[in-house]
Amino acid sequence: MRASVRYTVVVVFYAAVLVLWQAAGQAVAAPGAVLIPPSEIVATLLARSRAIFLVSGVTLTEAGVGFAIGVASAVVLAVVVDRFRLVGDALYRLALVLYAIPVIAIAAPLTAWLGLGIAAKIAVAALAAYFPVLVNVTGALRTLDPRIEELGRVLAIGYTRRLVSLRAPAILPALLSSFKIAAPAAFIGALIAEWMGAESGLGVMLLQSMFSFNVPLLWTVLLVTTALNGLIVLLFSILERVSVPWHGVARGGTA
């Protein structure tokens, strides 16, 4: 199917959904109704745009710092797992246990420990982000092309130099691919952490709109969070295609 036809089908489909949604929302319009028309959501977004912009910045900052910490921790741990197999396997299992704990369950004790400030949100975002990176990088290090290891032995270079000059470029696609999972996870982690107690943020606004039965604002915040998460995935997809042009993903593949 030609690209123009494919895009036309997508646009027509979403336009039809919006029209049906608008009609259904107007049909059941009543104070406190759960289903509201998109036009009311747009009106709320415009009326509260400044407040939504500010709280979005708070949550994105928490998620961004947490993502950076989570990625750095995961890469270091993956190298330890690869270099010291005995100790590394034990650490890997511990990381697996930590990731098995639901984010919402670990957010409460972290908030009680670190307080209502930004530290607890960053910690939860980092915990939500580290595991996809750890799994991808560890897997990539352990399944490297044997010829890369052979080249390192032929050149008689040490582990650190081999890791930086030969293995790191080879695992870069896996690292960048993991970002598309880790970054949205960090954003959702920060959002959930705000539910445990915070002064501002999208999570706080979401709770306030829910408990005050402000349905238009609730829908607006939900759509904003969804749009931001989609933009985060898009950003890292573009970064992946630009950074590893030799890899299959840069040519539209899935490798």
Side-chain angles (χ1 to χ4, degrees):
M1 185 182 294
R2 293 172 56 185
S4 59
V5 175
R6 192 166 61 246
Y7 290 132
T8 302
V9 170
V10 171
V11 169
V12 170
F13 172 76
Y14 283 107
V17 169
L18 283 175
V19 169
L20 290 174
W21 184 0
Q22 178 74 23
Q26 289 177 333
V28 300
V34 174
L35 184 63
I36 60 172
S39 57
E40 194 170 345
I41 297 174
V42 173
T44 305
L45 178 63
L46 294 175
R48 303 291 297 271
S49 58
R50 187 172 185 278
I52 291 174
F53 177 77
L54 291 175
V55 296
S56 298
V58 172
T59 304
L60 286 173
T61 301
E62 295 164 353
V65 178
F67 170 74
I69 294 173
V71 168
S73 305
V75 170
V76 171
L77 185 54
V79 172
V80 172
V81 169
D82 175 66
R83 184 71 178 91
F84 308 101
R85 291 295 175 97
L86 188 60
V87 178
D89 285 345
L91 289 173
Y92 189 84
R93 292 191 183 92
L94 177 61
L96 180 62
V97 170
L98 284 175
Y99 193 71
I101 302 173
V103 173
I104 197 165
I106 206 167
L110 276 176
T111 302
W113 179 33
L114 298 173
L116 299 179
I118 193 173
K121 287 74 185 173
I122 291 174
V124 175
L127 282 172
Y130 84 95
F131 195 69
V133 181
L134 174 64
V135 170
N136 270 26
V137 174
T138 302
L141 284 171
R142 289 185 170 181
T143 57
L144 273 179
D145 189 333
R147 290 173 295 183
I148 295 177
E149 296 294 333
E150 183 63 28
L151 179 60
R153 283 192 288 271
V154 170
L155 296 174
I157 55 179
Y159 177 81
T160 303
R161 191 177 164 195
R162 192 164 73 247
L163 177 68
V164 173
S165 59
L166 297 178
R167 306 180 82 195
I171 66 168
L172 187 58
L175 176 66
L176 293 171
S177 181
S178 68
F179 288 174
K180 291 186 293 186
I181 303 173
F187 182 73
I188 294 171
L191 204 69
I192 291 174
E194 289 174 351
W195 295 352
M196 299 299 113
E199 295 179 354
S200 65
L202 279 170
V204 177
M205 183 174 275
L206 194 64
L207 282 184
Q208 289 173 342
S209 61
M210 187 168 60
F211 289 124
S212 63
F213 299 101
N214 190 339
V215 179
L217 182 59
L218 178 63
W219 272 101
T220 304
V221 177
L222 283 174
L223 290 181
V224 168
T225 53
T226 303
L228 286 175
N229 236 352
L231 286 174
I232 289 170
V233 174
L234 177 63
L235 173 68
F236 282 103
S237 296
I238 294 172
L239 176 66
E240 184 182 30
R241 287 173 180 269
V242 171
S243 303
V244 287
W246 67 88
H247 198 257
V249 293
R251 299 190 297 271
T254 57

